[in-house]
Amino acid sequence: MATPTSNVEVEPNIEVQAYGDEPDSAYDSEVASYTTSINSTITDYRRENGRTYHAYKDGSRYPTQETERLDIMHKLTEVTLGGKLNLAPIPEKPKRILDIGTGDKYPDAEILGNDLSPIQPKWVPPNVRFEVDDVEQDWAYHQPFDFIHCRMMGNGIRDWPKLNRQCFENTKPGGWVEFIDLDLTWTSPDGSLTEGHASKRFNNEFIKASRDTDIEPCPGLYLEGWMKDAGFQGVQAEKFVWPVGTWPKDKHLYPTQQKEVGAWNYLQIMEGLEGFTYALFTRHLGYSKAEVEVICANIRKEMKDPKMHAMFHLHVAYGQKPEAATTTS
């Protein structure tokens, strides 16, 4: 099911055929053609650089006003997985689900969503409830889950092995756990992204600075190993290409639609670039707000250049708790 890098081809003469003399506006127009389908102490948030951050776990690097970008990420992941929310072969009607990072397509299940801030919609289905909590603390659930789903928690988890162990301990025997996360290393299939690009320099600095602060920014690479170490059996891993933009040749490269995936990815980066950058670069690297704004402007300019064919990867890993295993309850 995975989409290997070698299968992603660049649209020939894309800058001539698609964009003409105004690549910036034309590129945004093509992206829009694929993305038109998305239109207390806890709330005493930390505010920096015009952005608001989680207060429950002060020190979080991603702002809370990310709901629009998270909607885009949800659509992006759904398109990547061929319209699915998960790949694990869970029962048709699971009874109890934990959604870490907080999504729902099982109306008969009791679904618990966990996040650091109360940013969820006011109206939710009656079988869904949300809690504001730090998933890295010791869990105190009284009943195990049929399915635990953890998506896009990179740059938010410091102890991934512990998280995997807690997932294992709180899953019913025979239940499933699935992790979906990224390898944020930007690359290109044709060498068009070089170390001379501001985008690549930023990417290198972001990854190094994250690791210097004990955060793994590319957890997708390690999901399979962490799950096996925690005791899950039959662990399966899938890898998908996320193009940055609509440069891929094939609109429909099974199982994903590469141009549409690239359009949604381009949009979520454009939407969240400052949010990714401000906290890490100002708190930990000593950049000023103005310097960060210059970096972001340069990255945006490069992203609109159809000659740069950047991409990174989404990883999915899922496994089952052995029937003979015990739970913590």
Side-chain angles (χ1 to χ4, degrees):
M1 182 177 289
T3 306
T5 299
S6 58
N7 283 355
V8 183
E9 299 180 26
V10 177
E11 184 77 50
N13 302 315
I14 186 170
E15 66 274 11
V16 175
Q17 295 179 359
Y19 307 119
D21 296 328
E22 297 183 0
D24 283 10
S25 59
Y27 205 99
D28 286 334
S29 296
E30 183 173 11
V31 167
S33 73
Y34 288 97
T35 59
T36 52
S37 61
I38 282 194
N39 293 322
S40 80
T41 56
I42 290 176
T43 57
D44 185 17
Y45 300 109
R46 175 174 179 168
R47 293 174 174 82
E48 287 181 2
N49 301 310
R51 299 265 159 172
T52 307
Y53 297 86
H54 302 289
Y56 183 83
K57 184 181 181 181
D58 193 25
S60 172
R61 296 208 303 255
Y62 284 173
T64 58
Q65 60 269 67
E66 273 222 303
T67 50
E68 289 186 10
R69 192 189 72 85
L70 292 177
D71 287 342
I72 297 170
M73 286 289 284
H74 176 80
K75 178 65 176 179
L76 170 54
T77 306
E78 188 178 41
V79 172
T80 302
L81 302 184
K84 300 177 180 179
L85 295 181
N86 58 273
L87 298 182
I90 65 176
E92 184 177 345
K93 293 185 177 182
K95 297 301 182 185
R96 187 167 159 82
I97 297 174
L98 175 62
D99 194 4
I100 301 174
T102 77
D104 161 35
K105 68 170 184 177
Y106 301 102
D108 296 321
E110 176 191 355
I111 300 176
L112 175 62
N114 179 300
D115 208 339
L116 279 172
S117 285
I119 61 172
Q120 292 74 34
K122 293 182 179 179
W123 184 92
V124 295
N127 63 313
V128 178
R129 64 186 179 90
F130 294 105
E131 66 176 15
V132 177
D133 202 358
D134 180 2
V135 75
E136 291 208 274
Q137 299 299 314
D138 291 338
W139 294 7
Y141 299 118
H142 298 296
Q143 299 181 51
F145 297 91
D146 297 286
F147 180 45
I148 297 179
H149 187 244
C150 181
R151 187 174 75 179
M152 302 302 177
M153 293 297 290
N155 285 296
I157 301 296
R158 294 184 181 275
D159 192 342
W160 282 93
K162 178 182 177 181
L163 176 60
N164 276 263
R165 290 193 301 270
Q166 295 209 97
C167 286
F168 185 88
E169 292 166 357
N170 287 271
T171 302
K172 294 179 181 178
W176 291 85
V177 172
E178 178 169 305
F179 289 89
I180 301 178
D181 227 300
L182 297 168
D183 170 8
L184 287 176
T185 305
W186 282 35
T187 183
S188 61
D190 56 358
S192 59
L193 177 68
T194 70
E195 297 295 330
H197 281 92
S199 302
K200 184 59 178 175
R201 293 195 301 271
F202 162 80
N203 182 237
N204 291 341
E205 195 165 10
F206 181 93
I207 289 174
K208 182 180 184 302
S210 295
R211 288 174 175 156
D212 287 345
T213 56
D214 298 321
I215 291 287
E216 176 49 61
C218 304
L221 294 169
Y222 311 106
L223 297 176
E224 180 181 8
W226 286 329
M227 292 196 74
K228 289 179 176 179
D229 291 344
F232 292 100
Q233 66 180 13
V235 177
Q236 300 292 314
E238 307 281 355
K239 177 181 176 181
F240 302 89
V241 172
W242 271 13
V244 180
T246 56
W247 55 260
K249 178 180 178 181
D250 297 310
K251 291 185 178 181
H252 305 285
L253 184 61
Y254 181 83
T256 62
Q257 303 176 53
Q258 286 297 310
K259 280 187 175 293
E260 185 177 358
V261 170
W264 286 111
N265 195 26
Y266 172 94
L267 189 61
Q268 70 90 8
I269 295 171
M270 284 291 193
E271 183 78 19
L273 189 55
E274 284 82 4
F276 307 148
T277 311
Y278 274 133
L280 183 62
F281 276 54
T282 59
R283 292 182 201 168
H284 302 291
L285 296 178
Y287 282 75
S288 68
K289 183 171 183 276
E291 288 171 328
V292 170
E293 290 170 351
V294 171
I295 292 172
C296 292
N298 288 335
I299 294 171
R300 282 198 167 88
K301 181 178 180 180
E302 290 179 354
M303 285 177 58
K304 293 183 178 184
D305 180 358
K307 296 179 182 179
M308 187 183 82
H309 311 133
M311 65 186 193
F312 49 98
H313 292 92
L314 176 79
H315 292 256
V316 181
Y318 55 90
Q320 188 175 29
K321 183 170 182 173
E323 291 282 358
T326 60
T327 66
T328 57
S329 62

